[in-house]
């Protein structure tokens, strides 16, 4: 399921990268936004300003990304 989230993020042009531990991160489209999604143990954690807020299932992470892409237009 991680691959589905990453695929959706890439299709929506979100920057994706791996951290030093090999965990995937999805960054916002606009640099002034302070959130990021971090993949930990098959779940996505929404961090805002470096503070973990909530764990998302892959389906929830995709919905979050779709909403963020719409709000960025």
């Amino acid at each position: 399921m991680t691959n589905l989230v990453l695929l959706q993020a890439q299709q929506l042009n979100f920057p994706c990268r791996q951290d030093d531990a090999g965990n995937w991160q999805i960054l916002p489209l606009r640099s002034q936004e302070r959130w990021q999604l971090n993949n930990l143990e098959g779940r996505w954690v929404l961090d805002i300003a470096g503070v973990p807020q909530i764990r998302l299932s892959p389906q929830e992470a995709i919905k979050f990304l779709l909403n963020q892409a719409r709000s960025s237009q």
Side-chain angles (χ1 to χ4, degrees):
M1 289 299 269
T2 297
N3 290 340
L4 291 175
V5 176
L6 287 171
L7 180 63
Q8 184 68 56
Q10 291 167 344
Q11 288 176 346
L12 294 168
N13 296 317
F14 285 95
C16 302
R17 66 179 184 206
Q18 285 185 295
D19 64 14
D20 294 336
N23 297 312
W24 281 100
Q25 299 173 321
I26 301 172
L27 306 172
L29 293 170
R30 295 185 296 217
S31 60
Q32 69 269 26
E33 293 181 353
R34 308 226 0 167
W35 65 265
Q36 71 180 36
L37 286 176
N38 297 306
N39 184 259
L40 300 169
E41 300 172 3
R43 301 283 287 189
W44 290 92
V45 178
L46 175 63
D47 285 38
I48 299 176
V51 179
Q53 300 292 318
I54 189 170
R55 288 181 156 241
L56 303 172
S57 69
Q59 295 84 0
E60 292 169 328
I62 289 171
K63 286 181 185 178
F64 174 80
L65 291 170
L66 289 169
N67 286 334
Q68 290 299 311
R70 273 193 287 263
S71 70
S72 293
Q73 295 177 350

